[in-house]
Amino acid sequence: MLTFKRALVLLLAILIAGCNFQPVKQQTAEKLSTPPDVKYETLAKAKEIDETPTKQQQISVEQIAKLTPKQDVWLVIRDDLELDTHVDHVWVKSKLNWFAKNQEYMDRVSDRAHPYLYHIVSRLKERNMPLDLALLPIVESAYQPFAYSHAHASGIWQFISATGKRYGLKQNWWYDGRRDIVAATEAALDYLEMLHGRFNGNWLHALAAYNSGEGNVERAIRRNKRAKKPTDFWHLRLPRETRGYVPSLLAVAELLKNSSKYNILFKRIPNTPYFDQIDVGSQIDLATVAELSGLSMEEVYTLNPGFNRWATDPDGPHRILVPIERSSAFKQKLATIPSANRVQWTRHTIKEGESLGVIARKYKTSISAIKSANKLRSNLIRAGHSLLIPKSKLDDKAYTLSADARKFRGLKKTGDGTRYVYTVRRGDNLWDIGRHYGVSVKQMTQWNGISRKSILRPGQKLVVWVEDDEANENNIVKVANQSTDMDSYTVKSGDSLWLIARRFDIHVKDLVKWNNLNKKKPLQPGQTLIVRPAVSGA
């Protein structure tokens, strides 16, 4: 009996020791496949952050600590952060947990932000707006100038087409102001300033509205008021994406404020202007810009991501950004080239059956550019006549970040001609890949039979489906309606009324009304919806 009791005591001691045993944290390079603005962890999964830096990072933190705000624009932001980060809220903790484990991701963000961050911070200061907002493009696009979401939002500030137009961002075949660093930054700050006023100075409400639309946030506030519930951001019933969006921004701010505590570094970005804005006064071939500035074609496009094609828009803007140290030489060389020689020209003899559209596609230009160059008032042309056509200086392949080149960059076409294969590179994640090709993480996982948590490995092959017709990027068709037109949209897999309403900057209630829908009945792929009704007398 005594032996049995001793055995029982020994067994209990082992069990208690096992309960108190904490496994050593594995040092692996594994990362989640999507950053926190796309991956929404449940509250139960929020974990405490390991706050013990490695020896190597302790040294780096000490080196960074010796810098002053005059030397590093990240420190300028850090010393002027205004928003309460709500660091004890479990949603913010969840986001902090992700960022703290992904130094490589933050390094890529810093590299991308390098040319733009000083300008954005300067504009925020001039407008007396919180410098916290300079962190917003991290959440929106990871500072990718060519980011293009599956909801058709574009640029570092992720404007959808309708909102961009509302804030003066020109969008056509040649140019997309949503990607123009200078123009889009002004539009984003205008929009945020308007939202801040509309929500009575509440920045969390304004940020939520920037993500999901002011109507969604206002309706959520009204619902809570009727139910006598608090109306602060944390108590509002908002779309899932928005519930993760605002905490992500607050987590980045907290991370910057206490980077050594969270064992993360923000790569230094000098607190000096990176680029100069030069008005060239007329259309110019980007190959000529590269030649005059001494920049590579990729550097030209990275500073001027608003340009879709091989040249600037004939009708402007004619603003070119070049690194400030190259500005003077660029201006001097530009002055020696007459406006007429900044774009090459060719003479085309019109053949039987040709239209302006056919000719424009052949020469990689637009109908409006041909009409302008030839002073045409209509699209009517006659066989045998000749047209003066603006023509690119170099072959298509030279314009490495034009819209056509970007669309399929890194993809290998498969035999069926519609499916593409992407080869994973070191540091890739599903969110970055999806943003580049304008597809969602959900689509990527479905196409490839993987989960959001899957670890991507260099050399891994991923299937990507890309829409071939850029003109139909919103899948809109014109529908005849007696003497007027209306815009319609064909529902795709994964669509919802909210997503479609956000895409076209309209209200869900209008979609329901125009299409006589039952909100409780799910949409069906292939279903056609009116997204803008016919206008009488249009």
Side-chain angles (χ1 to χ4, degrees):
M1 187 69 176
L2 186 61
T3 303
F4 175 75
K5 286 183 178 179
R6 286 178 178 173
L8 183 60
V9 170
L10 181 61
L11 179 60
L12 287 172
I14 293 171
L15 288 173
I16 291 169
C19 290
N20 291 328
F21 174 73
Q22 297 293 330
V24 177
K25 185 179 178 181
Q26 293 183 350
Q27 300 297 320
T28 71
E30 294 180 355
K31 304 188 295 295
L32 297 176
S33 292
T34 54
D37 44 323
V38 177
K39 182 184 185 301
Y40 303 103
E41 298 176 302
T42 60
L43 301 187
K45 290 183 179 178
K47 300 176 182 178
E48 294 298 325
I49 299 168
D50 182 359
E51 297 178 1
T52 307
T54 63
K55 184 176 180 181
Q56 181 180 0
Q57 286 185 321
Q58 280 178 328
I59 295 171
S60 299
V61 168
E62 290 168 1
Q63 291 171 340
I64 293 292
K66 293 178 182 178
L67 295 174
T68 67
K70 291 182 179 180
Q71 298 172 298
D72 188 350
V73 72
W74 287 122
L75 301 185
V76 173
I77 299 170
R78 183 201 66 186
D79 290 350
D80 207 13
L81 291 170
E82 295 182 21
L83 302 184
D84 181 349
T85 59
H86 296 268
V87 67
D88 292 327
H89 197 287
V90 69
W91 292 357
V92 177
K93 282 185 178 180
S94 174
K95 306 307 178 184
L96 272 169
N97 184 46
W98 190 92
F99 283 115
K101 291 179 179 178
N102 286 273
Q103 178 66 59
E104 284 186 19
Y105 177 80
M106 295 307 300
D107 288 345
R108 290 199 302 275
V109 166
S110 288
D111 289 340
R112 294 178 190 136
H114 191 132
Y116 319 133
L117 192 60
Y118 177 87
H119 174 77
I120 292 170
V121 169
S122 297
R123 293 301 298 132
L124 286 168
K125 281 183 171 182
E126 288 168 15
R127 298 172 67 138
N128 198 29
M129 297 174 73
L131 297 194
D132 310 58
L133 300 178
L135 308 177
L136 194 59
I138 297 177
V139 180
E140 284 287 354
S141 63
Y143 264 104
Q144 290 190 56
F146 300 106
Y148 184 68
S149 77
H150 67 285
H152 307 294
S154 190
I156 65 170
W157 294 101
Q158 288 291 281
F159 275 101
I160 61 172
S161 179
T163 308
K165 288 175 181 175
R166 194 199 313 168
Y167 283 88
L169 297 178
K170 182 179 180 181
Q171 299 159 56
N172 61 23
W173 190 83
W174 289 101
Y175 168 83
D176 190 338
R178 296 176 298 165
R179 292 196 308 270
D180 185 313
I181 299 303
V182 172
T185 295
E186 289 307 301
L189 301 192
D190 286 345
Y191 188 22
L192 286 163
E193 205 165 45
M194 182 280 289
L195 293 170
H196 183 246
R198 186 162 176 168
F199 289 97
N200 301 314
N202 188 314
W203 273 115
L204 297 195
H205 285 167
L207 289 165
Y210 187 89
N211 177 253
S212 64
E214 49 265 44
N216 274 323
V217 178
E218 287 170 338
R219 284 189 290 274
I221 291 172
R222 287 197 297 269
R223 275 196 303 268
N224 279 26
K225 283 182 176 178
R226 286 195 297 266
K228 300 189 183 310
K229 294 180 180 179
T231 58
D232 60 279
F233 167 79
W234 308 103
H235 287 87
L236 298 182
R237 195 175 78 223
L238 293 166
R240 189 183 184 193
E241 178 183 338
T242 309
R243 295 199 305 271
Y245 175 88
V246 173
S248 290
L249 176 67
L250 300 179
V252 175
E254 171 65 20
L255 207 65
L256 179 59
K257 190 184 296 184
N258 297 292
S259 57
S260 58
K261 173 183 176 182
Y262 297 110
N263 189 26
I264 205 82
L265 300 177
F266 285 75
K267 291 175 71 172
R268 178 178 176 259
I269 298 178
N271 186 32
T272 54
Y274 185 91
F275 58 75
D276 190 14
Q277 304 178 48
I278 300 168
D279 186 356
V280 298
S282 65
Q283 186 180 33
I284 188 170
D285 193 311
L286 296 183
T288 300
V289 173
E291 183 182 326
L292 298 180
S293 63
L295 299 172
S296 69
M297 195 68 77
E298 292 201 4
E299 289 172 318
V300 171
Y301 275 109
T302 300
L303 276 176
N304 301 277
F307 298 127
N308 290 329
R309 310 295 166 183
W310 52 269
T312 61
D313 186 342
D315 299 321
H318 299 303
R319 177 183 58 246
I320 294 287
L321 304 187
V322 297
I324 200 159
E325 67 273 11
R326 297 175 186 256
S327 174
S328 179
F330 177 80
K331 290 176 184 176
Q332 291 175 8
K333 292 177 182 178
L334 181 69
T336 66
I337 302 177
S339 296
N341 296 341
R342 293 178 182 180
V343 173
Q344 290 190 351
W345 301 85
T346 189
R347 193 163 288 281
H348 175 83
T349 301
I350 303 167
K351 298 173 185 174
E352 195 70 42
E354 281 188 327
S355 66
L356 283 179
V358 169
I359 297 169
R361 282 192 293 275
K362 178 180 179 179
Y363 291 101
K364 302 287 185 181
T365 188
S366 65
I367 293 173
S368 62
I370 296 175
K371 289 174 69 175
S372 176
N374 294 275
K375 295 182 170 56
L376 299 177
R377 294 183 178 180
S378 72
N379 290 350
L380 183 64
I381 55 175
R382 290 190 174 89
H385 288 205
S386 63
L387 294 170
L388 198 59
I389 311 291
K391 184 177 180 295
S392 61
K393 187 175 184 177
L394 303 177
D395 292 338
D396 291 349
K397 291 181 180 179
Y399 301 90
T400 52
L401 287 175
S402 67
D404 291 333
R406 286 196 318 272
K407 191 166 189 180
F408 303 106
R409 193 180 193 195
L411 297 181
K412 183 178 179 182
K413 203 167 188 175
T414 59
D416 58 18
T418 56
R419 190 168 59 103
Y420 296 83
V421 173
Y422 177 81
T423 302
V424 174
R425 294 174 294 179
R426 183 173 298 280
D428 276 343
N429 59 58
L430 289 174
W431 184 77
D432 275 345
I433 298 168
R435 282 277 166 165
H436 185 82
Y437 298 111
V439 297
S440 68
V441 171
K442 182 179 180 181
Q443 288 172 311
M444 295 283 291
T445 58
Q446 289 175 340
W447 294 336
N448 293 280
I450 57 179
S451 76
R452 289 174 179 268
K453 296 181 181 180
S454 296
I455 298 164
L456 302 183
R457 294 177 174 82
Q460 182 178 348
K461 307 294 184 184
L462 295 177
V463 172
V464 180
W465 295 78
V466 180
E467 293 180 21
D468 287 329
D469 187 3
E470 202 167 69
N472 291 324
E473 69 170 13
N474 282 335
N475 205 23
I476 298 178
V477 295
K478 288 286 184 182
V479 180
N481 182 24
Q482 297 175 358
S483 62
T484 62
D485 286 338
M486 58 187 175
D487 286 346
S488 75
Y489 172 79
T490 302
V491 176
K492 293 180 285 188
S493 178
D495 274 340
S496 68
L497 287 174
W498 179 80
L499 282 173
I500 296 170
R502 185 186 174 202
R503 185 173 303 163
F504 297 106
D505 204 21
I506 55 181
H507 292 294
V508 170
K509 65 180 180 181
D510 290 328
L511 267 180
V512 171
K513 178 182 176 182
W514 297 337
N515 295 278
N516 195 26
L517 297 175
N518 181 346
K519 288 179 70 173
K520 295 181 180 180
K521 188 176 180 181
L523 298 176
Q524 300 299 320
Q527 183 178 353
T528 299
L529 298 179
I530 296 168
V531 292
R532 291 190 187 92
V535 179
S536 178

